[in-house]
Amino acid sequence: MKKKKGQEPADRFQQLLEEGQFYFVNQQYDTAQELLEEAVKIRPDARALYTLGLIFEIRNEMEKACEMYRCALALDPNLKEAQVHLEKILKK
Amino acid sequence: MVMAKTFAVIGLGRFGSNVAKALVEKGFEVIVVDTDEEKINEFSDIAAAAFVMDATDEKALKDAGIGEVDCAIISVGQNVESSILITMLLKELGVKEIIVKEVMPIHGKILEKLGATKIVNPERDTALRLVSSFASPRIFDIIEVSPDYSIMEVIAPKEFWARPLRDIHLRRDYHVSVIAIRRRKTVMRENGIPDLQEEILIAPGGDDEIEENDILVLLGKYQDLEKITKL
């Protein structure tokens, strides 16, 4: 049987993550959020959730940011950036 | 050379011991005093000197060198009489800065008359912060600098976005001053992980524009500051 053409989910995930991070760094937060949420639907991923946390943090939506950082840490306890941001918010 | 400031912390309850530990951590020379030997033992290795004694005893205070410190912090729990007496004795010994933990408002007034330079009420300050954060999720932090004035960190209201400070007339229309603007920028770290970097614009000028997501650090009367949070 011939393999169906089109993007594999893993490739699609990677593309969404990279584009989401690109738009985040370029301060286009709405677009970044859409792309990263799409990426998380394909695969729950610590980096995508962490970047979503940063988007909420920069918008001063701290409860949502904490939730994202906690989810990111549940998936990857070694993601120290998420730990640092979570601790900083909780200290407030 | 700048001389290091020396402190005395009298009373090692929860407040006093936390203050003493924080001062030691910052590298200051700290003398601690309490009537409870167990509490004093906790500080025997880290404090410059630790005395088990009654701080209402003038001679004991003198002998312990408390009169020589730059700043004394008195936190003797609910004992109003003792803290009044200790404040008076320290004033007589020539301590320049006397900070006292207030037990009740009338206590604070007496302490002021006796020469305490600062009265603190951590419970009231915490309650004020907590209530403010419930009242408006846009308040990040609040510090009472005097009974009338506070410093408040507040999320920039939408109607301020993309406008230079001189157009907003915060001082004229709202009677508050902008001390600083906290702004976070996005960065990509070397390891390929995105992050936020905070920059603080101290004493921003009239040309400085407020951006979306900025946090304004404002000084003013509480009721005026509160108005900004409701915009």
Side-chain angles (χ1 to χ4, degrees):
Chain A
M1 201 170 78
K2 242 184 170 180
K3 201 176 170 188
K4 210 176 155 186
K5 273 195 174 177
Q7 209 173 20
E8 291 287 337
D11 297 338
R12 177 77 184 132
F13 166 81
Q14 195 57 35
Q15 189 189 342
L16 287 166
L17 176 66
E18 282 171 15
E19 284 182 8
Q21 291 186 334
F22 171 81
Y23 282 106
F24 167 75
V25 173
N26 287 288
Q27 296 164 40
Q28 295 189 40
Y29 306 123
D30 292 344
T31 312
Q33 184 179 354
E34 272 174 38
L35 293 164
L36 292 164
E37 283 176 350
E38 189 95 359
V40 172
K41 279 181 203 158
I42 297 172
R43 188 207 303 165
D45 176 82
R47 286 167 304 165
L49 288 162
Y50 161 73
T51 314
L52 280 166
L54 295 177
I55 293 172
F56 288 122
E57 187 177 339
I58 208 161
R59 285 188 186 139
N60 300 307
E61 295 178 46
M62 297 309 183
E63 276 181 34
K64 286 185 189 169
C66 285
E67 201 184 316
M68 291 300 133
Y69 294 141
R70 282 199 186 99
C71 290
L73 286 166
L75 291 168
D76 180 3
N78 296 319
L79 189 61
K80 64 173 191 303
E81 288 83 358
Q83 188 68 45
V84 168
H85 280 268
L86 180 63
E87 279 173 11
K88 205 175 111 193
I89 295 174
L90 295 178
K91 257 189 192 172
K92 270 271 172 193
Chain B
M1 198 178 89
V2 179
M3 290 286 282
K5 210 171 176 180
T6 54
F7 291 85
V9 178
I10 299 168
L12 295 173
R14 198 186 301 169
F15 177 76
S17 61
N18 279 323
V19 169
K21 277 177 194 159
L23 288 168
V24 169
E25 275 170 24
K26 295 267 180 208
F28 291 110
E29 200 172 289
V30 183
I31 299 173
V32 291
V33 173
D34 201 286
T35 47
D36 186 338
E37 195 173 347
E38 230 172 86
K39 286 178 182 166
I40 285 296
N41 287 341
E42 279 180 42
F43 284 87
S44 53
D45 291 336
I46 56 170
F51 299 99
V52 181
M53 65 179 216
D54 176 5
T56 59
D57 179 342
E58 189 176 2
K59 189 178 177 304
L61 280 176
K62 235 185 238 175
D63 293 347
I66 307 293
E68 314 300 318
V69 299
D70 298 305
C71 174
I73 296 142
I74 305 169
S75 166
V76 287
Q78 297 298 308
N79 198 333
V80 178
E81 271 176 42
S82 293
S83 73
I84 289 173
L85 192 55
I86 298 165
T87 304
M88 215 174 73
L89 292 173
L90 294 184
K91 190 78 191 162
E92 279 177 12
L93 286 174
V95 177
K96 288 185 279 303
E97 201 175 349
I98 305 169
I99 299 170
V100 195
K101 187 182 166 217
E102 173 192 69
V103 175
M104 57 183 94
I106 188 72
H107 177 211
K109 283 185 184 163
I110 298 168
L111 293 167
E112 259 176 31
K113 295 248 182 283
L114 288 173
T117 40
K118 191 175 165 79
I119 318 291
V120 292
N121 187 329
E123 288 87 0
R124 189 193 54 206
D125 294 347
T126 307
L128 183 68
R129 283 181 193 200
L130 197 63
V131 169
S132 298
S133 69
F134 286 148
S136 172
R138 289 185 27 202
I139 299 174
F140 257 60
D141 204 358
I142 178 162
I143 301 162
E144 198 185 66
V145 285
S146 79
D148 290 331
Y149 286 87
S150 298
I151 292 173
M152 194 183 269
E153 286 190 357
V154 58
I155 298 169
K158 203 171 182 175
E159 60 180 86
F160 292 176
W161 294 357
R163 290 172 63 192
L165 278 174
R166 77 156 50 85
D167 278 7
I168 301 170
H169 301 296
L170 277 167
R171 226 174 284 168
R172 190 193 69 189
D173 297 345
Y174 300 95
H175 315 292
V176 300
S177 300
V178 187
I179 301 174
I181 298 175
R182 284 176 52 200
R183 182 169 293 162
R184 278 124 332 139
K185 293 280 177 204
T186 54
V187 288
M188 186 62 92
R189 300 262 172 232
E190 278 176 12
N191 58 5
I193 294 180
D195 208 343
L196 302 177
Q197 205 165 42
E198 186 173 90
E199 59 179 52
I200 300 180
L201 276 80
I202 304 281
D207 291 335
D208 284 312
E209 211 168 82
I210 293 178
E211 292 181 7
E212 187 179 341
N213 305 319
D214 275 353
I215 294 169
L216 309 177
V217 185
L218 306 170
L219 171 71
K221 287 189 176 168
Y222 186 80
Q223 57 268 36
D224 292 325
L225 294 165
E226 215 181 8
K227 282 180 198 155
I228 306 270
T229 69
K230 288 177 180 158
L231 288 174

